[in-house]
Amino acid sequence: MSSWLDYTINGLIVGNVYALVAVGLALIFGVSRLINFAQGSIYLVGAYIGWVAVVQLHTPLPLTIIVVAVAAALVGLIIERFGLRPLQNSVRIAPLLATIGISFVLDQLVMLTFSPNPRALPSQLPDVRFQIGGGTIGPLDLLIAGVGITSALLLFVFLRYSKLGWAIRATAQDRDAAMQMGVDVNRVNQAVFGIAAALGGVSGLLVGMYYNQIDTAMSLQATLKGVVAEVVGGAGNVPGAVIGSLLLGLVESYGVAVFGTSYRNLFAFLLLVVVLVLRPNGLFASARQAPPEPLTGTFIAPSRPVRIPRWALLVATGIFAILPLLPVSFYVLQTLINAWLLGMLALSLTLVAGTIGQVSLGHAALLAIGAYTSALLSLTFAVPVGLAIIGGGLMSAALGTALISPSFRLRGHYVSIATLAIGEIVSLVILNWESVTRGPIGISGIPPLSLAGYELVSPISIYCFSFIVMVVLALLQGRLLGSHLGRSFRAIRDDDIAARAYGLSLNRYKSLAFIFGGFAAGVSGGIAAHLYSYINHETFNTQQSILALTVVILGGLGNVVGAIVGAVALVGLPEVFRIAAEYRILIYGIVLLLLVRFRPQGLLGTM
Amino acid sequence: MTNSPPDALLALTNVNTFYGQAQVHFDLSISVPRGHIVCLLGGNASGKSTTMKIILGLVKPRSGDVTFDGASLLGLTTPQIVRRGIASVPEARRLFADMTVRENILMGAFVRDDREAIAQDLDKMLTLFPKLGQRLSQRAGSLSGGEQQMVAMARALMSRPRMIVMDEPTMGLSPLYVDRVLELIRTINREGVSVFMVEQNASLALEIAHEAYVLQTGKIVLSGSARALKDDPRIRDAYLGGSEAA
C-alpha cells in the first residue's frame, strides 16, 4: 500500500466495518439511552462462529454470513431478555454496568472455548486485486462495502416503512408517548438488540476475513471503535453513526499513513475526546438539541450505608496490622499485598465515581502514570524510592486532572466514555513515546521498594508498607468525606445544577476530587512498579479499570471501608476457592452482573 | 364504599397511590359515565397528572381499582390498556418531534391493522383539523404549540378510541387556540367518544364538561355536575378569581 488512494480505500473499508458496529450502538442508544459495552463481544462471537462455519463446516460464503447474522442476533436477544430487561426500573448506571459484565463473561467464554491464541480466518474469496486509478481494490473490499451499503439501505427502508421501524423511531424519540400509542417497548428493545447483534456479528466475521486473523482481544477494540464512531456521529443518530464510522476509518488510515501503524488507535481516541469536548452531541446534532442524558445525578443506587462501629474497624485494622507476626504463609501475605494495592485504586475510584459521581472507566491510566513516573524517577534520576512513589502520586494527581479537565462539562455516560478514551490515550502515548517510556519494550530493572535506605524485600516488610500507606490514604479520605468538601462533592453528584445554583464551582470540586483520587491511584501504581520491577504499556489496562469499578460497586459506591472490603473480597475469594487464573475474569464479570441485578448498593451500601 | 354507577365507562375506586413514602392519592374515586366529558380540576401538585398515569398504567396504585367498561385495568401494561380503547393526549403534547406530522398522526393508529380504514380516518382528521393538511410532511417539532395540540388530538383519535384522556389540553396555547381546542373536544364528544380531562383552568373546563371533580392534595374535595359547580362559591373563590385574594 503506497498511494493516497489506497489509504482512502482502506479507510473507507475499515469505516464500513466500524459502521456495522456503530449503527447497532446508535439504535440501542436511541431506544434505551444505553451504551452497549457488550457490542464488541457480539462482534467477537460473530467472528468465532464464522471461523467454525468456514474452517470446520466449510460453509459457502453467503451461508456463512447468514449463519453468523442469525447466531449473533440470538445472542443479542438473550442479552436483552436476561441481562437487561430485568434492570428496566433500576438506576441508570445499572444497564451500562450490566453490559460491561456481559462483555467480560462472553469474552471469557469465547477464550475458554477457543483458547486465547489467534486463529486464521480465510476469506474464501479469490486473492486478486483490481487497479483503479493509482490504487488497488480486492474482492473482499468490495464485499465489505457491499454488505455495509446493503445493510444501511435495508435498515433505512425498515425504519421508514415498516410498522416495527416506526415503533423503534417513536420509542427513540419519546418512550412514554410511544407506549401510549400502544407500542410494546419490550418488543422494540428486542428488535433493536437483535438487529444490532446481527450487524455486529457480521462485522466481526468481515474483519476476521480482512485481517485473516481473529483473537479475543478484538472485542474491546471493536466496542471502543464503535463507541468512538457513534459519539462522533451523535449518540443515537443512525445516519450519523455511519458517517462517523467512515470519518473514523479515514482519520485512522491517514494517521497510519503519516505516522505509522502504532498510531492508529491514538488518532481514534483523540478524535473522540475532541468531539466530546467541543461537540458532545456529535458533529451533526443541531444546537437546540439537549444532551440525551438526565440532568440530575441518578447514577447512584440510594441506600442506607451499613454502620460499622468504630471499635470494630479498629479491631479489624489491628488484626491486619499484626497479621505478619502470626504464623501465616507468605502466600497469604502476597495475596493481601495485592488486595491493599487494589484497595488504594478502589479508594481513588470510589471517591471519583461514588462520591462525586464521575464514573471513570479509565482509572488504570492513573496507575500507569504513577508507575512510570516513580520507575523513571528512581531509575534515571536516582531519586530514593519512597520519594519517587510520592512523585508518582503527585504526577498522577496533576496529569490525570489536567487530562480529564476538558471533559468536566460532560455528564453521565459521557464522562465514562471520556475517561475510557483518556485511559486508552495514556496507554498509547506510553507505547509511542519511546524516548521517555522506552515504548513497547517497557521498563525493566526497576529498583525494589526501599524506605530511608532500607530495602523492603521481605513479604512482611512489603505487607506492612503497603498496608500502612493504604490505611493512611483511607483515613485521609474518611476525613475528607466528613468535611464541608465531602458534602460539596455529594451535592454535585446528586444534582449538579442545584449545586451550581448554590454557588459551588463544579470544575473546582471535580478537580479536587481527581487530584486526591489521582494521588491515591498514582501511589498504588508507584508501589506496584517497584514490586513488579518490570512494567510496560499493557501492565495497567482497561481490564484493571473495570476490575476496580467492580470492587467499588461491590463495596458500595462512595464507601471508603467498602472499597477496601471489596478489594479484599475480589482478590481474596478466588484464592480461597483456588479458582484457576483463566476463570477469574469470568468470575469478576459474573459478580458484577449479580451485583447490578440484586444488590446495586453493594455490600456496605452507597454513601 | 362508593360504588361506581352502572353506566360508568371508566371508574377509579378508592385508589391510593404512593411515590416512595409520599402518598399522592387518598381514597380517590372518580367515574366517567359513557358519552360524557368529565373534568378533574386542581392546582399544582394536587395529583392530577398522576391520575392520568394511573389510568394509562404508567403508575400502579398501591390499593383500589381502576375499571374500564367493567373490567379492571390494573394488571395490564400501557399498550394493552391502549388496545382496550383508551387514547391519550399527554401533557405538553409529547409529539414525536423528529417524525413528520403525517407519521405522528398515523402512529396513533399503531394498534390497528386495517390499512384502508386507517387511510380514510386520516382523511377524516384532515377535515376535522384542516390546518394540518398543508403541514403533513413537516417535522412535528417545527409546528406552533396550537398546531401541535391539533396533531396530538388527531393522533389520539386515530386509534378509534372509546375514550380519550387529556392532560391540560389548553396549557400554553394562545386564546384563539384555546377556544378552538375546546370546540374540538365538544365535537369529538358528540361523535360518541367519552372524555376525561385534567385541567387547571376551571372556568374553561366547566364550559364544556358534564361533570367535574376538584382534587386538592390527593383528595376529592368537591364533585358534581359542571353547571352546579360553576355557581359554587368555593369554586369561584379558588379558581374563578373570587373576590377575596386566597
Side-chain angles (χ1 to χ4, degrees):
Chain A
M1 268 211 267
S2 50
S3 77
W4 281 101
L5 190 58
D6 271 330
Y7 283 111
T8 308
I9 291 172
N10 176 263
L12 290 176
I13 297 303
V14 173
N16 248 299
V17 167
Y18 293 158
L20 289 174
V21 177
V23 162
L25 285 171
L27 278 174
I28 291 173
F29 190 92
V31 167
S32 41
R33 299 285 179 267
L34 163 71
I35 293 164
N36 177 22
F37 275 94
Q39 188 74 358
S41 303
I42 293 170
Y43 164 100
L44 181 73
V45 169
Y48 274 87
I49 291 171
W51 179 82
V52 170
V54 170
V55 174
Q56 305 203 313
L57 307 175
H58 308 291
T59 51
L61 183 62
L63 185 59
T64 311
I65 293 179
I66 292 170
V67 166
V68 167
V70 170
L74 276 178
V75 176
L77 292 180
I78 292 170
I79 291 177
E80 191 278 328
R81 179 64 190 85
F82 299 102
L84 298 175
R85 199 179 299 177
L87 300 175
Q88 254 169 14
N89 297 320
S90 41
V91 283
R92 283 182 47 83
I93 195 172
L96 178 88
L97 296 173
T99 61
I100 293 177
I102 289 166
S103 87
F104 268 47
V105 171
L106 278 180
D107 291 358
Q108 291 303 309
L109 288 178
V110 170
M111 194 183 278
L112 291 170
T113 315
F114 294 96
S115 94
N117 301 325
R119 309 239 168 186
L121 181 55
S123 87
Q124 299 178 302
L125 287 170
D127 190 19
V128 292
R129 297 201 70 84
F130 312 109
Q131 282 287 332
I132 46 159
T136 65
I137 194 164
L140 191 57
D141 297 326
L142 295 174
L143 173 71
I144 291 176
V147 170
I149 293 166
T150 311
S151 26
L153 282 178
L154 283 178
L155 194 61
F156 176 81
V157 170
F158 168 72
L159 289 177
R160 177 100 357 176
Y161 299 106
S162 78
K163 199 163 175 177
L164 189 53
W166 281 41
I168 290 174
R169 285 161 63 210
T171 309
Q173 286 173 44
D174 193 328
R175 202 183 177 87
D176 273 6
M179 283 167 73
Q180 291 176 37
M181 298 301 118
V183 172
D184 180 347
V185 179
N186 285 335
R187 268 199 63 208
V188 165
N189 274 338
Q190 250 172 10
V192 160
F193 267 88
I195 295 168
L199 293 175
V202 171
S203 176
L205 170 73
L206 294 175
V207 169
M209 290 181 169
Y210 193 67
Y211 294 111
N212 190 20
Q213 181 186 318
I214 55 175
D215 64 62
T216 44
M218 295 165 65
S219 163
L220 181 66
Q221 284 305 316
T223 302
L224 293 176
K225 293 302 171 59
V227 168
V228 175
E230 193 220 346
V231 171
V232 168
N237 179 344
V238 173
V242 174
I243 299 172
S245 302
L246 296 177
L247 196 66
L248 175 62
L250 287 175
V251 166
E252 281 187 14
S253 190
Y254 293 143
V256 168
V258 178
F259 296 96
T261 331
S262 59
Y263 283 84
R264 173 179 286 271
N265 293 342
L266 192 54
F267 279 97
F269 295 118
L270 284 176
L271 178 69
L272 174 64
V273 172
V274 168
V275 169
L276 272 181
V277 170
L278 297 181
R279 305 215 49 152
N281 286 329
L283 292 180
F284 313 107
S286 46
R288 66 186 154 71
Q289 192 176 333
E293 278 288 339
L295 294 181
T296 52
T298 46
F299 250 49
I300 311 291
S303 79
R304 211 163 285 162
V306 177
R307 282 245 163 264
I308 302 172
R310 190 171 287 252
W311 62 264
L313 282 178
L314 281 173
V315 169
T317 313
I319 290 174
F320 278 113
I322 60 164
L323 197 67
L325 304 177
L326 305 174
V328 292
S329 69
F330 285 160
Y331 168 69
V332 170
L333 291 186
Q334 198 62 51
T335 304
L336 283 171
I337 291 170
N338 288 337
W340 305 146
L341 287 179
L342 185 59
M344 289 177 221
L345 180 66
L347 281 175
S348 163
L349 186 58
T350 211
L351 177 71
V352 167
T355 309
I356 199 164
Q358 313 291 304
V359 177
S360 159
L361 297 180
H363 234 59
L366 296 171
L367 289 179
I369 295 172
Y372 267 85
T373 307
S374 186
L376 291 171
L377 281 177
S378 57
L379 266 178
T380 318
F381 301 101
V383 174
V385 171
L387 284 179
I389 290 174
I390 292 175
L394 292 175
M395 183 60 102
S396 273
L399 199 56
T401 311
L403 286 173
I404 188 71
S405 60
S407 311
F408 279 162
R409 53 192 294 213
L410 302 175
R411 289 196 177 108
H413 286 188
Y414 284 54
V415 174
S416 303
I417 300 175
T419 50
L420 185 64
I422 291 168
E424 293 292 312
I425 288 173
V426 166
S427 159
L428 289 162
V429 167
I430 289 174
L431 175 66
N432 284 301
W433 198 5
E434 292 192 18
S435 59
V436 173
T437 62
R438 304 185 194 172
I441 304 163
I443 300 180
S444 49
I446 303 169
L449 281 178
S450 66
L451 208 57
Y454 293 98
E455 288 207 343
L456 308 177
V457 280
S458 71
I460 292 178
S461 57
I462 297 170
Y463 176 93
C464 292
F465 179 74
S466 51
F467 183 66
I468 290 168
V469 172
M470 183 195 68
V471 169
V472 168
L473 287 172
L475 286 175
L476 278 176
Q477 191 158 326
R479 287 294 298 264
L480 182 83
L481 295 190
S483 73
H484 167 71
L485 200 57
R487 281 192 296 280
S488 305
F489 285 167
R490 285 190 290 271
I492 288 170
R493 171 191 76 197
D494 291 339
D495 192 336
D496 60 352
I497 290 179
R500 202 155 46 175
Y502 275 93
L504 295 184
S505 153
L506 300 192
N507 288 352
R508 192 155 110 220
Y509 286 98
K510 286 180 186 175
S511 301
L512 285 171
F514 273 94
I515 287 172
F516 190 90
F519 183 76
V523 166
S524 171
I527 296 174
H530 296 283
L531 274 184
Y532 302 162
S533 88
Y534 170 75
I535 53 175
N536 68 15
H537 70 284
E538 281 174 336
T539 311
F540 309 101
N541 56 16
T542 307
Q543 235 169 39
Q544 279 205 353
S545 299
I546 306 297
L547 174 60
L549 193 59
T550 311
V551 166
V552 164
I553 294 168
L554 178 63
L557 278 160
N559 195 318
V560 171
V561 180
I564 295 166
V565 171
V568 172
L570 273 198
V571 173
L573 289 182
E575 301 291 345
V576 172
F577 293 108
R578 310 258 166 207
I579 294 167
E582 57 260 39
Y583 287 97
R584 284 196 186 164
I585 306 286
L586 182 64
I587 303 285
Y588 295 150
I590 292 171
V591 167
L592 184 58
L593 272 177
L594 292 177
L595 275 175
V596 165
R597 173 88 172 81
F598 297 106
R599 204 171 161 83
Q601 74 273 35
L603 293 176
L604 299 187
T606 55
M607 287 177 84
Chain B
M1 275 297 283
T2 46
N3 260 329
S4 48
D7 63 334
L9 181 59
L10 176 85
L12 282 74
T13 324
N14 299 323
V15 166
N16 287 288
T17 316
F18 291 77
Y19 285 139
Q21 300 280 323
Q23 187 160 5
V24 183
H25 288 149
F26 298 83
D27 274 331
L28 189 69
S29 292
I30 291 174
S31 91
V32 181
R34 239 172 264 276
H36 279 207
I37 301 176
V38 173
C39 175
L40 180 64
L41 301 169
N44 288 328
S46 58
K48 299 191 310 282
S49 291
T50 304
T51 313
M52 293 273 298
K53 288 181 181 155
I54 292 275
I55 296 170
L56 289 167
L58 293 165
V59 171
K60 298 288 173 199
R62 190 171 289 180
S63 66
D65 199 5
V66 181
T67 58
F68 184 67
D69 209 5
S72 176
L73 297 179
L74 284 189
L76 303 182
T77 63
T78 304
Q80 286 168 331
I81 291 171
V82 173
R83 277 168 204 275
R84 292 270 167 106
I86 301 182
S88 69
V89 178
E91 188 178 358
R93 304 171 290 270
R94 305 284 287 268
L95 295 185
F96 305 110
D98 283 328
M99 295 169 87
T100 63
V101 170
R102 182 196 190 81
E103 288 173 328
N104 265 280
I105 297 176
L106 288 175
M107 268 312 289
F110 189 81
V111 293
R112 297 170 56 186
D113 284 315
D114 43 345
R115 278 170 169 268
E116 282 106 65
I118 291 175
Q120 282 169 19
D121 282 1
L122 178 61
D123 289 340
K124 207 172 123 195
M125 290 309 137
L126 296 183
T127 44
L128 199 56
F129 308 94
K131 265 206 169 157
L132 297 183
Q134 320 136 30
R135 302 262 190 250
L136 279 180
S137 50
Q138 222 168 304
R139 273 185 64 250
S142 68
L143 301 187
S144 76
E147 289 168 330
Q148 289 195 14
Q149 189 65 43
M150 303 290 145
V151 177
M153 288 169 73
R155 183 175 72 172
L157 285 170
M158 283 301 285
S159 64
R160 290 199 176 167
R162 286 188 281 168
M163 173 168 192
I164 293 190
V165 293
M166 300 189 186
D167 199 344
E168 309 224 10
T170 63
M171 190 174 68
L173 300 188
S174 68
L176 213 67
Y177 268 113
V178 168
D179 290 344
R180 178 98 188 89
V181 164
L182 293 179
E183 195 45 54
L184 280 165
I185 294 174
R186 254 192 201 132
T187 313
I188 291 166
N189 176 248
R190 269 200 294 271
E191 294 191 5
V193 181
S194 309
V195 175
F196 177 73
M197 60 188 267
V198 153
E199 257 297 346
Q200 281 207 26
N201 192 329
S203 61
L204 290 178
L206 292 175
E207 288 289 317
I208 61 165
H210 298 101
E211 290 91 29
Y213 292 78
V214 177
L215 191 61
Q216 223 169 57
T217 53
K219 294 179 189 120
I220 299 289
V221 291
L222 214 57
S223 65
S225 80
R227 196 165 305 154
L229 285 181
K230 221 183 320 185
D231 299 326
D232 192 298
R234 286 167 293 180
I235 288 269
R236 270 214 313 264
D237 291 346
Y239 294 103
L240 303 181
S243 46
E244 313 113 296

